Amino acid sequence: MGLLEGKTAIVFGLANDRSIAWGILQAFHREGATLGISYAGEALKRRILPLAEQLGCNWVEECDVSRDDQIAAAAEKAAAHFGKIDVLVHSIAFAQREELSGLFYNTTREGFRIAMDISVYSFVALAKAFQPLLNPGASLITMTYYGSVKVAPHYNVMGVAKAALEATTRYLAYDFGPQGVRVNAISAGPIRTLAAAGVSGFRDMYKYFADIAPMRENITIEDVGNAAVFLASDLSKRITGEVLYVDSGFNIVGVQIHPEFSQRQSASA
Ligand code: NAP
């Protein structure tokens, strides 16, 4: 029996088959969950429908999370279709491309507002809108990145947004705790997706990641999907307000040694 048998999960933020949301949806499907998928806008529909079909998912709804009316409509449609739900995944972030290169202090007021609105406030807004639909034991999950706690060059306003998102996770966890609902974040290592392509220097960061990470491997959307299964399932039923790193151990390294030096060391050991 699958770990998510009998549970209904809605995943926000599917853009294509490289999205982290796709890794999560596939893992949820494997574990027996009933699925709902939400995507950002009409332009994506053509790509999303065949993916939804692969998973036998027949709740596929557009929702631009910068729009309160669309969030309310998504919650209404979910209530009508599913009644109650057990898992909500927020796998959404956005910053204007010009904010993701160069100096952080050049961040514009509008660029800051947009990044915080779409990447952070949307999690609060979704949690509030879906609150009446959540079964006891339900799990809310969002996606963050290590640039929230340490500087990742060019990540800029998105690093600040992820710090706010992690704090948001804790505040939501506090509010939802008495209802028996858990709220956690997954901090994933770099993965080649559409969103990542917008960050200047991402290609190099991705390339050297495996040289520095203790496990010497990049991570995949399947790795994130499996961690999300744990957070969505009853196996994690007393875990809330946490940030779970899925990054081959990258975040534990305090002093990075040049990859060539560390390879010489391993060879001589
Ligand atoms: P992705 O496939 O591009 O997914 C990002 C999603 O956010 C897209 O579906 C995008 O839709 C959606 N989105 C943007 N603005 C939206 C809006 N106003 N309303 C609704 N949806 C909106 O990239 P991803 O890497 O899987 O990103 C998913 C999450 O993982 C993000 O929070 C990201 O920061 C996080 N993360 C990624 C990495 C990585 O290295 N890839 C690492 C750690 C954390 P559109 O395509 O239409 O804009």
Side-chain angles (χ1 to χ4, degrees):
M1 183 169 151
L3 286 166
L4 302 180
E5 213 75 56
K7 290 192 190 290
T8 298
I10 298 185
V11 176
F12 287 79
L14 182 64
N16 56 35
D17 63 0
R18 307 186 94 177
S19 294
I20 289 175
W22 181 237
I24 293 173
L25 280 159
Q26 285 179 298
F28 282 6
H29 176 66
R30 183 193 72 217
E31 297 299 334
T34 299
L35 297 173
I37 295 174
S38 177
Y39 60 96
E42 186 61 26
L44 288 180
K45 195 170 182 178
R46 198 171 38 84
R47 256 186 272 146
I48 301 304
L49 288 178
L51 294 175
E53 206 172 308
Q54 279 184 44
L55 305 180
C57 169
N58 53 18
W59 191 91
V60 185
E61 293 297 337
E62 183 182 330
C63 177
D64 175 347
V65 295
S66 66
R67 302 257 313 260
D68 288 335
D69 58 333
Q70 294 203 10
I71 291 178
E76 262 173 45
K77 287 175 185 165
H81 187 84
F82 296 116
K84 298 278 180 178
I85 69 164
D86 304 282
V87 184
L88 185 151
V89 176
H90 170 273
S91 187
I92 289 174
F94 180 77
Q96 292 163 311
R97 192 172 263 268
E98 58 271 26
E99 306 291 357
L100 299 173
S101 66
L103 300 167
F104 169 64
Y105 65 63
N106 286 330
T107 304
T108 62
R109 189 182 295 274
E110 184 61 358
F112 193 92
R113 186 197 66 73
I114 291 173
M116 295 295 274
D117 182 19
I118 298 180
S119 315
V120 187
Y121 180 71
S122 62
F123 191 38
V124 182
L126 286 175
K128 182 176 178 195
F130 281 78
Q131 189 264 343
L133 277 67
L134 298 173
N135 276 324
S139 173
L140 311 184
I141 302 169
T142 188
M143 297 302 312
T144 186
Y145 175 63
Y146 185 53
S148 60
V149 286
K150 300 285 180 191
V151 172
H154 307 296
Y155 200 56
N156 295 352
V157 69
M158 194 48 74
V160 175
K162 291 302 190 192
L165 182 66
E166 291 172 20
T168 293
T169 300
R170 291 185 284 273
Y171 277 88
L172 288 176
Y174 185 82
D175 285 357
F176 277 97
Q179 195 183 321
V181 170
R182 302 173 300 105
V183 188
N184 292 290
I186 294 176
S187 185
I191 301 176
R192 282 189 287 208
T193 62
L194 268 185
V199 182
S200 174
F202 175 84
R203 193 193 290 246
D204 286 339
M205 191 172 70
Y206 181 86
K207 196 164 141 204
Y208 295 117
F209 178 86
D211 292 325
I212 295 164
M215 297 188 78
R216 299 287 189 272
E217 270 186 312
N218 278 91
I219 67 147
T220 65
I221 60 172
E222 287 75 25
D223 296 326
V224 181
N226 287 332
V229 166
F230 167 67
L231 288 178
S233 77
D234 296 340
L235 291 179
S236 59
K237 74 177 183 184
R238 296 282 174 262
I239 299 176
T240 196
E242 295 294 335
V243 176
L244 177 63
Y245 283 85
V246 181
D247 69 345
S248 294
F250 185 91
N251 77 94
I252 64 161
V253 179
V255 177
Q256 295 174 0
I257 294 179
H258 190 280
E260 274 176 28
F261 180 74
S262 96
Q263 270 156 20
R264 277 207 304 275
Q265 262 195 333
S266 321
S268 63

